[in-house]
Amino acid sequence: MVDWMSQEMIVSNADAFSKLIHTLLGLYMWEWFTSLDFDWQFITGKKTFRWPLTFYFLNRYCLLIALIGIAIALNVKTEINCQGLYTFNQVFGNATIGLASINLSLRTIAVWSQKWYIIVPLVAIILGHWSMLLHGILLKAAWVPGQGCIITETNNTLLAATFIYTMSFDFLVLFLTAYKLFQPNSGRSKLVELIFSDGLIYFVIAFLANLIATIFMLLNLNPVMSIIANVPAAIAATIVACRVVRRLSRFTSTGVERFAASTQNSTLAFRSQGSQLRGPKLASTKVSMNEGVDVHVQMETFGSPPDKYLQYDAAGNKRADAIDPESQEISNEFKRPPY
């Protein structure tokens, strides 16, 4: 039977953890670089920045900073302030986990058309989540000659509770999204069909990544194995959450879809349920032009009100003998001069 607490096993696991971190850093750098054009469009002003994208940018760059800090901690050869470095890494690492859950929950709020009974519980859960993440920052690290920066003390119980909370949060978001999308006769637009077709798999991946990290934390085989899945979970959750944001932001209908005018200035605008829309409506269509240029055309349309002079019977049918005042002959009474 494997003695996970033996010094040889811990050193071997630490070496494997270091190689894993470097591999994941390369993976995330590739993901970051290949999607940099999306960020650049907002930086240069080609696309309008909306407030939900704040969480998207924080999520991406907090993880990038955390991975660079972890790589420094694993490769440093001279004595440094290990406590400060690991606290720095923990702050940005925990922020990454919380921001990924926020990005996924924002998509769930959008699917539910920003209903207050969905927003209020999710906001409360997010606040509780961040409370646990901030408490998890408290750890101790020291410089050990010949080994480098080593974590000397951490609260495994709090870390396990944090990942259980994160896993439960992701499962709730997955359940709410799936429940809404699986409802029959919901009049789904192409935008909701996009989420239904490939968006749910992102929620599943985020949930499974945190589930694996939680299992390793609860097994507590040794100090290295307890946290070996934490960084992969944070990276997986961040990648899928940011891809959800990018896909929905880039979504443009190829046909005409109508949205309520009140959602015109919202990044969480979804098709209104039902076919009877009153008042001004926003028609949206994409027109393909030469050289691969797409122009997104929007206009307000107004429905014609029913003729108030038409008469209907008790069954709601238009009466054949209904009088149209504009089609009547002008009588002689109105032809006589006023004198």
Side-chain angles (χ1 to χ4, degrees):
M1 188 174 180
V2 178
D3 183 10
W4 292 100
M5 295 302 295
S6 65
Q7 189 64 29
E8 296 79 8
M9 182 59 65
I10 294 177
V11 172
S12 177
N13 292 338
D15 181 63
F17 176 73
S18 176
K19 294 177 180 178
L20 176 63
I21 292 299
H22 286 84
T23 302
L24 293 174
L25 175 59
L27 172 66
Y28 185 72
M29 288 294 294
W30 172 81
E31 167 72 16
W32 174 80
F33 183 77
T34 55
S35 57
L36 192 58
D37 60 320
F38 179 82
D39 300 4
W40 187 250
Q41 290 177 349
F42 290 98
I43 294 174
T44 57
K46 293 182 179 179
K47 284 190 175 182
T48 304
F49 182 85
R50 305 291 187 183
W51 69 265
L53 289 171
T54 303
F55 303 107
Y56 165 81
F57 282 103
L58 287 175
N59 196 180
R60 272 171 64 86
Y61 291 94
C62 280
L63 178 58
L64 182 62
I65 293 172
L67 288 175
I68 293 175
I70 294 173
I72 293 173
L74 293 175
N75 293 280
V76 66
K77 300 300 182 182
T78 57
E79 185 174 354
I80 60 172
N81 183 1
C82 296
Q83 178 65 47
L85 178 59
Y86 269 90
T87 300
F88 175 86
N89 294 340
Q90 195 75 359
V91 168
F92 283 90
N94 285 9
T96 297
I97 297 172
L99 289 167
S101 296
I102 289 177
N103 281 321
L104 292 174
S105 63
L106 284 177
R107 301 309 103 188
T108 302
I109 292 173
V111 171
W112 282 87
S113 302
Q114 307 178 51
K115 301 295 185 182
W116 69 268
Y117 52 80
I118 296 295
I119 296 177
V120 173
L122 286 181
V123 169
I125 294 173
I126 289 172
L127 294 176
H129 190 205
W130 276 86
S131 176
M132 299 192 70
L133 289 172
L134 293 176
H135 278 83
I137 294 174
L138 302 176
L139 53 78
K140 293 183 179 180
W143 174 265
V144 177
Q147 298 185 26
C149 286
I150 301 295
I151 297 177
T152 59
E153 182 181 340
T154 185
N155 191 338
N156 286 333
T157 302
L158 181 58
L159 285 176
T162 301
F163 273 91
I164 291 174
Y165 193 106
T166 304
M167 178 188 65
S168 303
F169 186 15
D170 291 342
F171 178 78
L172 175 63
V173 169
L174 170 64
F175 172 79
L176 290 174
T177 305
Y179 176 81
K180 184 64 174 178
L181 297 179
F182 274 106
Q183 282 184 340
N185 301 323
S186 58
R188 292 197 296 259
S189 66
K190 292 183 179 180
L191 180 57
V192 180
E193 289 176 1
L194 172 69
I195 304 174
F196 182 77
S197 61
D198 62 359
L200 281 180
I201 189 62
Y202 292 148
F203 290 85
V204 173
I205 291 173
F207 169 73
L208 292 178
N210 286 298
L211 175 62
I212 294 173
T214 302
I215 292 174
F216 275 96
M217 289 293 301
L218 295 177
L219 289 175
N220 196 22
L221 299 175
N222 59 46
V224 178
M225 293 299 294
S226 295
I227 62 171
I228 197 168
N230 293 8
V231 176
I235 293 176
T238 296
I239 289 177
V240 297
C242 290
R243 286 194 174 192
V244 166
V245 175
R246 288 196 298 271
R247 284 188 65 83
L248 292 183
S249 179
R250 286 170 171 165
F251 173 81
T252 304
S253 173
T254 56
V256 177
E257 292 192 62
R258 295 184 175 184
F259 296 83
S262 61
T263 62
Q264 181 178 356
N265 296 323
S266 172
T267 59
L268 304 179
F270 279 78
R271 187 176 185 175
S272 300
Q273 299 297 327
S275 59
Q276 300 297 328
L277 297 178
R278 298 182 179 180
K281 307 180 179 85
L282 184 65
S284 174
T285 185
K286 186 175 81 170
V287 181
S288 296
M289 303 182 69
N290 295 331
E291 301 179 357
V293 178
D294 294 334
V295 178
H296 192 78
V297 180
Q298 293 183 339
M299 66 188 76
E300 284 192 348
T301 61
F302 296 83
S304 298
D307 192 343
K308 63 181 181 179
Y309 296 103
L310 296 180
Q311 301 179 16
Y312 297 86
D313 57 20
N317 301 317
K318 187 167 62 174
R319 291 177 52 183
D321 59 345
I323 299 175
D324 185 356
E326 295 183 0
S327 64
Q328 306 303 313
E329 284 188 24
I330 300 177
S331 64
N332 293 330
E333 177 183 355
F334 296 98
K335 291 182 178 180
R336 292 197 299 265
Y339 49 86

